[in-house]
Amino acid sequence: FFFYALPSPRVQNFWWFILPSFIFLSFLYLRKKIENLKSPHFLCALWFCFIIFSLSVAAVRGGVAGIREPFTRTYWEYTGNLPLAGELGLRDFVGSYVQLRDRLAIHSFTHPPGYTVTLYLWQKYLGASLLGMSMLAVVLGGAALFPIYYFFRNFVSEQVLRRGLQIFIFLPSFVMMSATSMETTFVFFMWLAIAALHEGWKRHFLLSFGAGVLLALALFQNFLFLLLAPFFIFLFLHSYRQASLKSVLIWRVCCSLFGFFSFFIILYFITRYSMIEHFFAARHFNSTWVDSNFESLPIYIAYLSMNIIAFFFYLGMANVALLTRRLKILFNPLINYFIASFF
């Protein structure tokens, strides 16, 4: 819990710090019983634990107000776009998103309008306040446990998967992002798309098409989804090797691509929003705010160091220890070989 409290100088109330500690210790006490539950009950139990733990971690920064506070930063965050979306209407807002750059919240322009659309729908149809949106983000992000479970059970044993998910719900990066931003909702859409794609390629053309639409919906949330391109190549190669009828798999992949591109084509005809135009505009906009890490050697080293430190920091102590142990096992023979070669 040192990792959860350290980034915030606003830990003002000791009792709020007790709550996540109590939740974590209670989970450890009940862990074996939870692990032995049937799959749907097991996932629901982890989902519930994740929600209350994430909200309690957010509350460390000042009680219930700390849960809502990130969404009150309307100059920076996506909630700042809601009055504009309400004024223009959702279709015109999405269609003129690139042209509205100077009127948008700072963080939002470097991403597609998906986050703002999600918040707008929560506000309009669920009547969600800023606190309600914060809580809904945690709930939706935690639901990523379901597609993660059903995807990875194709690759690892049930015991390994269940124990991995028990670690995952307390992962600092996942917990802290869910308690402070919309990024956790992207995790849900991302894993839902991945799980649906894998199942679609194995089972049915229609599911493959739906998975393609979900891929587009995930990209509509965040441009970072593009970084998963190598993963999808690996997934295709794995599926191709497993498929008994290669031609059927190829057609299912085509259905996924058709669903993916159909989403953006239909979106363009309805709203005139161009994902490609926005991508290049966002890159230019980002370059005016963040210096290139290749600008000079000192800047490159500074960015490299910050990224490595942040990676290990948000990975969590337990996972850092496990990763270090695994790397030691992996590289020890290689190190011993070089030492023997030179000496």
Side-chain angles (χ1 to χ4, degrees), residues 205-259:
F205 289 95
L206 187 59
L207 183 56
S208 297
F209 173 82
V213 174
L214 288 173
L215 288 172
L217 186 59
L219 179 57
F220 188 60
Q221 305 293 315
N222 197 317
F223 284 126
L224 289 177
F225 192 71
L226 295 170
L227 296 177
L228 289 175
F231 172 81
F232 289 114
I233 294 173
F234 163 79
L235 188 62
F236 168 73
L237 293 175
H238 172 80
S239 300
Y240 189 82
R241 189 166 56 248
Q242 298 283 327
S244 55
L245 294 173
K246 313 294 186 185
S247 59
V248 172
L249 173 65
I250 297 298
W251 279 112
R252 288 173 180 169
V253 172
C254 290
C255 284
S256 297
L257 291 172
F258 181 66

Short mmCIF file of all heavy atoms in Angstrom, two decimals, residues 205-259:
data_model
loop_
_atom_site.label_atom_id
_atom_site.label_comp_id
_atom_site.label_asym_id
_atom_site.label_seq_id
_atom_site.Cartn_x
_atom_site.Cartn_y
_atom_site.Cartn_z
N PHE A 205 -18.61 -16.89 -38.40
CA PHE A 205 -18.40 -15.71 -39.24
C PHE A 205 -19.04 -14.46 -38.63
O PHE A 205 -18.46 -13.39 -38.63
CB PHE A 205 -18.99 -15.94 -40.64
CG PHE A 205 -18.21 -16.93 -41.46
CD1 PHE A 205 -18.58 -18.26 -41.50
CD2 PHE A 205 -17.10 -16.52 -42.19
CE1 PHE A 205 -17.86 -19.17 -42.27
CE2 PHE A 205 -16.37 -17.42 -42.95
CZ PHE A 205 -16.76 -18.75 -42.99
N LEU A 206 -20.27 -14.61 -38.10
CA LEU A 206 -20.97 -13.46 -37.55
C LEU A 206 -20.25 -12.91 -36.33
O LEU A 206 -20.14 -11.69 -36.15
CB LEU A 206 -22.41 -13.85 -37.19
CG LEU A 206 -23.34 -12.71 -36.75
CD1 LEU A 206 -23.45 -11.67 -37.87
CD2 LEU A 206 -24.71 -13.24 -36.37
N LEU A 207 -19.74 -13.80 -35.48
CA LEU A 207 -18.98 -13.37 -34.31
C LEU A 207 -17.69 -12.69 -34.74
O LEU A 207 -17.24 -11.72 -34.11
CB LEU A 207 -18.69 -14.56 -33.40
CG LEU A 207 -17.96 -14.27 -32.08
CD1 LEU A 207 -18.70 -13.22 -31.26
CD2 LEU A 207 -17.78 -15.55 -31.27
N SER A 208 -17.08 -13.17 -35.82
CA SER A 208 -15.86 -12.54 -36.35
C SER A 208 -16.16 -11.11 -36.80
O SER A 208 -15.37 -10.19 -36.56
CB SER A 208 -15.31 -13.35 -37.53
OG SER A 208 -14.94 -14.64 -37.11
N PHE A 209 -17.32 -10.93 -37.46
CA PHE A 209 -17.72 -9.59 -37.89
C PHE A 209 -17.94 -8.69 -36.67
O PHE A 209 -17.46 -7.55 -36.63
CB PHE A 209 -19.00 -9.67 -38.72
CG PHE A 209 -19.58 -8.32 -39.07
CD1 PHE A 209 -19.09 -7.60 -40.15
CD2 PHE A 209 -20.61 -7.77 -38.31
CE1 PHE A 209 -19.62 -6.36 -40.48
CE2 PHE A 209 -21.14 -6.53 -38.63
CZ PHE A 209 -20.64 -5.82 -39.71
N GLY A 210 -18.66 -9.20 -35.67
CA GLY A 210 -18.90 -8.42 -34.45
C GLY A 210 -17.61 -8.07 -33.74
O GLY A 210 -17.48 -6.97 -33.19
N ALA A 211 -16.65 -8.99 -33.75
CA ALA A 211 -15.35 -8.72 -33.13
C ALA A 211 -14.63 -7.59 -33.85
O ALA A 211 -13.97 -6.75 -33.22
CB ALA A 211 -14.49 -9.98 -33.14
N GLY A 212 -14.77 -7.53 -35.17
CA GLY A 212 -14.17 -6.42 -35.93
C GLY A 212 -14.77 -5.09 -35.53
O GLY A 212 -14.06 -4.08 -35.41
N VAL A 213 -16.09 -5.07 -35.30
CA VAL A 213 -16.75 -3.84 -34.85
C VAL A 213 -16.22 -3.45 -33.46
O VAL A 213 -15.97 -2.26 -33.19
CB VAL A 213 -18.28 -4.03 -34.81
CG1 VAL A 213 -18.96 -2.81 -34.21
CG2 VAL A 213 -18.81 -4.31 -36.21
N LEU A 214 -16.04 -4.45 -32.59
CA LEU A 214 -15.52 -4.17 -31.26
C LEU A 214 -14.08 -3.65 -31.32
O LEU A 214 -13.68 -2.80 -30.51
CB LEU A 214 -15.58 -5.44 -30.39
CG LEU A 214 -16.98 -5.88 -29.96
CD1 LEU A 214 -16.92 -7.24 -29.26
CD2 LEU A 214 -17.60 -4.85 -29.01
N LEU A 215 -13.30 -4.16 -32.26
CA LEU A 215 -11.93 -3.64 -32.45
C LEU A 215 -11.98 -2.16 -32.81
O LEU A 215 -11.20 -1.36 -32.28
CB LEU A 215 -11.23 -4.41 -33.56
CG LEU A 215 -10.79 -5.85 -33.27
CD1 LEU A 215 -10.30 -6.52 -34.55
CD2 LEU A 215 -9.72 -5.90 -32.20
N ALA A 216 -12.89 -1.81 -33.70
CA ALA A 216 -13.03 -0.41 -34.09
C ALA A 216 -13.50 0.44 -32.91
O ALA A 216 -13.04 1.57 -32.72
CB ALA A 216 -14.02 -0.30 -35.25
N LEU A 217 -14.41 -0.12 -32.11
CA LEU A 217 -14.91 0.61 -30.94
C LEU A 217 -13.79 0.85 -29.94
O LEU A 217 -13.72 1.93 -29.32
CB LEU A 217 -16.04 -0.18 -30.29
CG LEU A 217 -16.79 0.49 -29.13
CD1 LEU A 217 -17.42 1.80 -29.59
CD2 LEU A 217 -17.85 -0.45 -28.56
N ALA A 218 -12.89 -0.12 -29.78
CA ALA A 218 -11.75 0.05 -28.88
C ALA A 218 -10.81 1.13 -29.39
O ALA A 218 -10.32 1.98 -28.63
CB ALA A 218 -11.00 -1.28 -28.72
N LEU A 219 -10.57 1.14 -30.70
CA LEU A 219 -9.72 2.18 -31.29
C LEU A 219 -10.38 3.55 -31.18
O LEU A 219 -9.70 4.57 -31.02
CB LEU A 219 -9.43 1.85 -32.75
CG LEU A 219 -8.56 2.84 -33.54
CD1 LEU A 219 -7.22 3.06 -32.86
CD2 LEU A 219 -8.37 2.37 -34.98
N PHE A 220 -11.70 3.59 -31.24
CA PHE A 220 -12.45 4.83 -31.10
C PHE A 220 -12.28 5.42 -29.70
O PHE A 220 -12.51 6.61 -29.49
CB PHE A 220 -13.93 4.56 -31.38
CG PHE A 220 -14.79 5.79 -31.46
CD1 PHE A 220 -14.53 6.78 -32.40
CD2 PHE A 220 -15.87 5.96 -30.61
CE1 PHE A 220 -15.34 7.92 -32.48
CE2 PHE A 220 -16.67 7.09 -30.68
CZ PHE A 220 -16.40 8.06 -31.62
N GLN A 221 -11.85 4.60 -28.74
CA GLN A 221 -11.60 5.07 -27.39
C GLN A 221 -10.20 5.66 -27.24
O GLN A 221 -10.00 6.67 -26.57
CB GLN A 221 -11.74 3.91 -26.38
CG GLN A 221 -13.05 3.17 -26.42
CD GLN A 221 -14.23 4.01 -25.99
OE1 GLN A 221 -14.15 4.72 -24.99
NE2 GLN A 221 -15.31 3.94 -26.73
N ASN A 222 -9.21 5.01 -27.89
CA ASN A 222 -7.82 5.41 -27.62
C ASN A 222 -6.93 4.98 -28.77
O ASN A 222 -6.96 3.81 -29.18
CB ASN A 222 -7.35 4.77 -26.31
CG ASN A 222 -6.12 5.42 -25.75
OD1 ASN A 222 -5.18 5.74 -26.47
ND2 ASN A 222 -6.09 5.62 -24.44
N PHE A 223 -6.10 5.89 -29.26
CA PHE A 223 -5.17 5.57 -30.35
C PHE A 223 -4.11 4.54 -29.93
O PHE A 223 -3.49 3.90 -30.78
CB PHE A 223 -4.45 6.84 -30.83
CG PHE A 223 -5.29 7.72 -31.69
CD1 PHE A 223 -5.47 9.07 -31.38
CD2 PHE A 223 -5.91 7.23 -32.83
CE1 PHE A 223 -6.24 9.89 -32.18
CE2 PHE A 223 -6.69 8.04 -33.64
CZ PHE A 223 -6.85 9.38 -33.31
N LEU A 224 -3.91 4.37 -28.63
CA LEU A 224 -2.92 3.40 -28.16
C LEU A 224 -3.25 1.98 -28.60
O LEU A 224 -2.39 1.10 -28.59
CB LEU A 224 -2.80 3.45 -26.63
CG LEU A 224 -2.14 4.70 -26.04
CD1 LEU A 224 -2.18 4.64 -24.52
CD2 LEU A 224 -0.71 4.84 -26.53
N PHE A 225 -4.49 1.76 -28.98
CA PHE A 225 -4.89 0.44 -29.46
C PHE A 225 -4.06 0.01 -30.66
O PHE A 225 -3.88 -1.18 -30.91
CB PHE A 225 -6.38 0.46 -29.81
CG PHE A 225 -6.98 -0.90 -30.05
CD1 PHE A 225 -7.18 -1.77 -28.99
CD2 PHE A 225 -7.34 -1.31 -31.32
CE1 PHE A 225 -7.73 -3.02 -29.20
CE2 PHE A 225 -7.89 -2.55 -31.54
CZ PHE A 225 -8.09 -3.41 -30.47
N LEU A 226 -3.55 0.98 -31.42
CA LEU A 226 -2.74 0.68 -32.60
C LEU A 226 -1.45 -0.06 -32.22
O LEU A 226 -0.89 -0.80 -33.04
CB LEU A 226 -2.40 1.96 -33.35
CG LEU A 226 -3.58 2.71 -33.98
CD1 LEU A 226 -3.14 4.08 -34.48
CD2 LEU A 226 -4.20 1.89 -35.10
N LEU A 227 -0.99 0.13 -30.98
CA LEU A 227 0.24 -0.53 -30.54
C LEU A 227 0.07 -2.04 -30.41
O LEU A 227 1.06 -2.77 -30.29
CB LEU A 227 0.69 0.04 -29.19
CG LEU A 227 1.08 1.52 -29.18
CD1 LEU A 227 1.44 1.98 -27.78
CD2 LEU A 227 2.24 1.78 -30.13
N LEU A 228 -1.17 -2.51 -30.45
CA LEU A 228 -1.43 -3.94 -30.33
C LEU A 228 -1.34 -4.66 -31.68
O LEU A 228 -1.60 -5.86 -31.74
CB LEU A 228 -2.82 -4.18 -29.73
CG LEU A 228 -2.98 -3.83 -28.26
CD1 LEU A 228 -4.43 -4.01 -27.83
CD2 LEU A 228 -2.08 -4.70 -27.40
N ALA A 229 -0.99 -3.95 -32.74
CA ALA A 229 -0.90 -4.58 -34.06
C ALA A 229 -0.01 -5.82 -34.07
O ALA A 229 -0.41 -6.87 -34.62
CB ALA A 229 -0.41 -3.56 -35.09
N PRO A 230 1.20 -5.81 -33.46
CA PRO A 230 2.01 -7.04 -33.43
C PRO A 230 1.31 -8.18 -32.70
O PRO A 230 1.45 -9.35 -33.09
CB PRO A 230 3.28 -6.60 -32.68
CG PRO A 230 3.34 -5.13 -32.87
CD PRO A 230 1.92 -4.67 -32.88
N PHE A 231 0.54 -7.85 -31.65
CA PHE A 231 -0.19 -8.89 -30.93
C PHE A 231 -1.22 -9.56 -31.82
O PHE A 231 -1.39 -10.79 -31.80
CB PHE A 231 -0.87 -8.29 -29.70
CG PHE A 231 -1.81 -9.24 -29.00
CD1 PHE A 231 -1.31 -10.20 -28.13
CD2 PHE A 231 -3.18 -9.18 -29.22
CE1 PHE A 231 -2.17 -11.08 -27.49
CE2 PHE A 231 -4.04 -10.06 -28.59
CZ PHE A 231 -3.53 -11.01 -27.72
N PHE A 232 -1.92 -8.79 -32.65
CA PHE A 232 -2.94 -9.36 -33.53
C PHE A 232 -2.30 -10.21 -34.63
O PHE A 232 -2.90 -11.20 -35.08
CB PHE A 232 -3.81 -8.26 -34.12
CG PHE A 232 -4.73 -7.63 -33.12
CD1 PHE A 232 -4.59 -6.31 -32.75
CD2 PHE A 232 -5.73 -8.38 -32.51
CE1 PHE A 232 -5.43 -5.73 -31.82
CE2 PHE A 232 -6.57 -7.82 -31.56
CZ PHE A 232 -6.42 -6.49 -31.21
N ILE A 233 -1.11 -9.84 -35.04
CA ILE A 233 -0.38 -10.68 -36.00
C ILE A 233 -0.05 -12.02 -35.36
O ILE A 233 -0.24 -13.09 -35.96
CB ILE A 233 0.90 -9.97 -36.48
CG1 ILE A 233 0.54 -8.72 -37.29
CG2 ILE A 233 1.76 -10.92 -37.31
CD1 ILE A 233 1.73 -7.86 -37.66
N PHE A 234 0.43 -11.98 -34.12
CA PHE A 234 0.72 -13.22 -33.39
C PHE A 234 -0.55 -14.05 -33.22
O PHE A 234 -0.55 -15.28 -33.40
CB PHE A 234 1.31 -12.89 -32.02
CG PHE A 234 1.25 -14.04 -31.05
CD1 PHE A 234 2.17 -15.08 -31.13
CD2 PHE A 234 0.26 -14.11 -30.08
CE1 PHE A 234 2.11 -16.16 -30.25
CE2 PHE A 234 0.19 -15.16 -29.20
CZ PHE A 234 1.12 -16.20 -29.28
N LEU A 235 -1.67 -13.40 -32.87
CA LEU A 235 -2.93 -14.11 -32.67
C LEU A 235 -3.39 -14.78 -33.96
O LEU A 235 -3.89 -15.92 -33.94
CB LEU A 235 -4.00 -13.14 -32.16
CG LEU A 235 -5.33 -13.76 -31.72
CD1 LEU A 235 -5.12 -14.70 -30.55
CD2 LEU A 235 -6.32 -12.65 -31.34
N PHE A 236 -3.21 -14.10 -35.08
CA PHE A 236 -3.58 -14.70 -36.37
C PHE A 236 -2.70 -15.92 -36.66
O PHE A 236 -3.20 -16.97 -37.09
CB PHE A 236 -3.43 -13.67 -37.49
CG PHE A 236 -3.51 -14.28 -38.86
CD1 PHE A 236 -4.73 -14.72 -39.37
CD2 PHE A 236 -2.37 -14.43 -39.63
CE1 PHE A 236 -4.80 -15.30 -40.63
CE2 PHE A 236 -2.44 -15.00 -40.89
CZ PHE A 236 -3.65 -15.45 -41.40
N LEU A 237 -1.40 -15.77 -36.46
CA LEU A 237 -0.49 -16.90 -36.73
C LEU A 237 -0.81 -18.09 -35.83
O LEU A 237 -0.78 -19.24 -36.28
CB LEU A 237 0.96 -16.45 -36.53
CG LEU A 237 1.47 -15.41 -37.53
CD1 LEU A 237 2.88 -14.96 -37.16
CD2 LEU A 237 1.45 -15.96 -38.95
N HIS A 238 -1.12 -17.82 -34.58
CA HIS A 238 -1.51 -18.89 -33.66
C HIS A 238 -2.80 -19.57 -34.13
O HIS A 238 -2.88 -20.81 -34.15
CB HIS A 238 -1.69 -18.33 -32.26
CG HIS A 238 -2.26 -19.31 -31.29
ND1 HIS A 238 -1.51 -20.29 -30.68
CD2 HIS A 238 -3.54 -19.46 -30.82
CE1 HIS A 238 -2.29 -21.01 -29.88
NE2 HIS A 238 -3.52 -20.53 -29.95
N SER A 239 -3.79 -18.77 -34.51
CA SER A 239 -5.07 -19.32 -34.96
C SER A 239 -4.89 -20.09 -36.26
O SER A 239 -5.53 -21.14 -36.47
CB SER A 239 -6.09 -18.19 -35.15
OG SER A 239 -6.31 -17.51 -33.94
N TYR A 240 -4.04 -19.58 -37.13
CA TYR A 240 -3.79 -20.25 -38.41
C TYR A 240 -3.16 -21.62 -38.20
O TYR A 240 -3.51 -22.60 -38.87
CB TYR A 240 -2.87 -19.38 -39.27
CG TYR A 240 -2.72 -19.88 -40.69
CD1 TYR A 240 -3.68 -19.58 -41.66
CD2 TYR A 240 -1.61 -20.63 -41.07
CE1 TYR A 240 -3.54 -20.02 -42.97
CE2 TYR A 240 -1.46 -21.10 -42.37
CZ TYR A 240 -2.44 -20.79 -43.31
OH TYR A 240 -2.30 -21.26 -44.61
N ARG A 241 -2.24 -21.69 -37.24
CA ARG A 241 -1.59 -22.97 -36.94
C ARG A 241 -2.57 -23.97 -36.32
O ARG A 241 -2.47 -25.17 -36.55
CB ARG A 241 -0.41 -22.72 -35.99
CG ARG A 241 0.47 -23.94 -35.78
CD ARG A 241 1.79 -23.59 -35.12
NE ARG A 241 1.62 -22.89 -33.86
CZ ARG A 241 1.94 -21.62 -33.66
NH1 ARG A 241 2.44 -20.90 -34.66
NH2 ARG A 241 1.77 -21.05 -32.49
N GLN A 242 -3.55 -23.45 -35.56
CA GLN A 242 -4.50 -24.32 -34.88
C GLN A 242 -5.67 -24.72 -35.78
O GLN A 242 -6.33 -25.73 -35.53
CB GLN A 242 -5.07 -23.60 -33.65
CG GLN A 242 -4.04 -23.26 -32.58
CD GLN A 242 -3.64 -24.46 -31.76
OE1 GLN A 242 -4.45 -25.35 -31.52
NE2 GLN A 242 -2.39 -24.51 -31.32
N ALA A 243 -5.95 -23.93 -36.80
CA ALA A 243 -7.14 -24.15 -37.63
C ALA A 243 -7.03 -25.42 -38.46
O ALA A 243 -5.99 -25.70 -39.07
CB ALA A 243 -7.38 -22.95 -38.53
N SER A 244 -8.12 -26.17 -38.51
CA SER A 244 -8.15 -27.37 -39.34
C SER A 244 -8.46 -27.01 -40.79
O SER A 244 -7.99 -27.67 -41.73
CB SER A 244 -9.19 -28.36 -38.81
OG SER A 244 -10.46 -27.74 -38.70
N LEU A 245 -9.28 -25.97 -40.99
CA LEU A 245 -9.60 -25.48 -42.33
C LEU A 245 -9.05 -24.06 -42.46
O LEU A 245 -9.66 -23.09 -42.00
CB LEU A 245 -11.11 -25.50 -42.56
CG LEU A 245 -11.77 -26.89 -42.58
CD1 LEU A 245 -13.30 -26.74 -42.65
CD2 LEU A 245 -11.27 -27.71 -43.77
N LYS A 246 -7.90 -23.94 -43.09
CA LYS A 246 -7.23 -22.64 -43.20
C LYS A 246 -8.07 -21.63 -43.98
O LYS A 246 -8.10 -20.43 -43.63
CB LYS A 246 -5.87 -22.80 -43.89
CG LYS A 246 -5.01 -23.94 -43.38
CD LYS A 246 -4.57 -23.74 -41.95
CE LYS A 246 -3.58 -24.85 -41.54
NZ LYS A 246 -3.21 -24.77 -40.12
N SER A 247 -8.74 -22.08 -45.03
CA SER A 247 -9.52 -21.17 -45.85
C SER A 247 -10.68 -20.55 -45.07
O SER A 247 -11.02 -19.38 -45.26
CB SER A 247 -10.05 -21.90 -47.09
OG SER A 247 -10.88 -22.99 -46.71
N VAL A 248 -11.29 -21.34 -44.18
CA VAL A 248 -12.39 -20.84 -43.35
C VAL A 248 -11.88 -19.73 -42.43
O VAL A 248 -12.54 -18.69 -42.25
CB VAL A 248 -13.03 -21.98 -42.54
CG1 VAL A 248 -14.05 -21.42 -41.54
CG2 VAL A 248 -13.70 -22.98 -43.46
N LEU A 249 -10.71 -19.94 -41.85
CA LEU A 249 -10.12 -18.93 -40.98
C LEU A 249 -9.87 -17.63 -41.75
O LEU A 249 -10.15 -16.54 -41.25
CB LEU A 249 -8.81 -19.43 -40.36
CG LEU A 249 -8.02 -18.40 -39.56
CD1 LEU A 249 -8.81 -17.95 -38.32
CD2 LEU A 249 -6.66 -18.94 -39.15
N ILE A 250 -9.34 -17.75 -42.95
CA ILE A 250 -9.07 -16.55 -43.77
C ILE A 250 -10.35 -15.77 -44.01
O ILE A 250 -10.37 -14.53 -43.90
CB ILE A 250 -8.41 -16.94 -45.10
CG1 ILE A 250 -7.05 -17.61 -44.87
CG2 ILE A 250 -8.25 -15.72 -45.99
CD1 ILE A 250 -6.04 -16.74 -44.18
N TRP A 251 -11.44 -16.46 -44.31
CA TRP A 251 -12.72 -15.78 -44.54
C TRP A 251 -13.22 -15.12 -43.26
O TRP A 251 -13.80 -14.03 -43.31
CB TRP A 251 -13.75 -16.77 -45.08
CG TRP A 251 -13.62 -17.01 -46.55
CD1 TRP A 251 -13.22 -18.15 -47.16
CD2 TRP A 251 -13.88 -16.07 -47.59
NE1 TRP A 251 -13.19 -18.01 -48.52
CE2 TRP A 251 -13.60 -16.73 -48.82
CE3 TRP A 251 -14.30 -14.74 -47.62
CZ2 TRP A 251 -13.75 -16.09 -50.05
CZ3 TRP A 251 -14.45 -14.11 -48.84
CH2 TRP A 251 -14.19 -14.77 -50.04
N ARG A 252 -13.00 -15.76 -42.13
CA ARG A 252 -13.42 -15.16 -40.85
C ARG A 252 -12.59 -13.92 -40.54
O ARG A 252 -13.12 -12.93 -40.01
CB ARG A 252 -13.30 -16.19 -39.73
CG ARG A 252 -14.37 -17.28 -39.80
CD ARG A 252 -14.15 -18.38 -38.78
NE ARG A 252 -15.19 -19.39 -38.89
CZ ARG A 252 -15.16 -20.56 -38.28
NH1 ARG A 252 -14.11 -20.88 -37.50
NH2 ARG A 252 -16.15 -21.43 -38.42
N VAL A 253 -11.32 -13.96 -40.86
CA VAL A 253 -10.48 -12.77 -40.69
C VAL A 253 -10.98 -11.64 -41.59
O VAL A 253 -11.04 -10.48 -41.17
CB VAL A 253 -9.00 -13.10 -40.99
CG1 VAL A 253 -8.16 -11.83 -41.02
CG2 VAL A 253 -8.44 -14.08 -39.96
N CYS A 254 -11.37 -11.98 -42.80
CA CYS A 254 -11.92 -10.97 -43.72
C CYS A 254 -13.21 -10.37 -43.15
O CYS A 254 -13.46 -9.16 -43.30
CB CYS A 254 -12.19 -11.59 -45.08
SG CYS A 254 -10.68 -12.02 -45.99
N CYS A 255 -14.02 -11.21 -42.49
CA CYS A 255 -15.25 -10.71 -41.86
C CYS A 255 -14.91 -9.71 -40.76
O CYS A 255 -15.59 -8.68 -40.60
CB CYS A 255 -16.05 -11.87 -41.27
SG CYS A 255 -16.93 -12.86 -42.49
N SER A 256 -13.85 -10.01 -40.00
CA SER A 256 -13.42 -9.09 -38.94
C SER A 256 -12.96 -7.76 -39.52
O SER A 256 -13.31 -6.69 -39.01
CB SER A 256 -12.29 -9.72 -38.11
OG SER A 256 -12.72 -10.88 -37.46
N LEU A 257 -12.19 -7.82 -40.60
CA LEU A 257 -11.72 -6.59 -41.24
C LEU A 257 -12.89 -5.80 -41.82
O LEU A 257 -12.92 -4.56 -41.74
CB LEU A 257 -10.72 -6.94 -42.35
CG LEU A 257 -9.37 -7.50 -41.89
CD1 LEU A 257 -8.55 -7.98 -43.09
CD2 LEU A 257 -8.60 -6.45 -41.10
N PHE A 258 -13.86 -6.52 -42.35
CA PHE A 258 -15.05 -5.85 -42.90
C PHE A 258 -15.82 -5.14 -41.78
O PHE A 258 -16.26 -3.99 -41.95
CB PHE A 258 -15.94 -6.87 -43.59
CG PHE A 258 -17.18 -6.28 -44.20
CD1 PHE A 258 -17.11 -5.40 -45.26
CD2 PHE A 258 -18.43 -6.60 -43.68
CE1 PHE A 258 -18.26 -4.84 -45.81
CE2 PHE A 258 -19.58 -6.05 -44.22
CZ PHE A 258 -19.50 -5.17 -45.29
N GLY A 259 -15.97 -5.79 -40.63
CA GLY A 259 -16.64 -5.17 -39.49
C GLY A 259 -15.88 -3.96 -38.98
O GLY A 259 -16.49 -2.93 -38.65
#
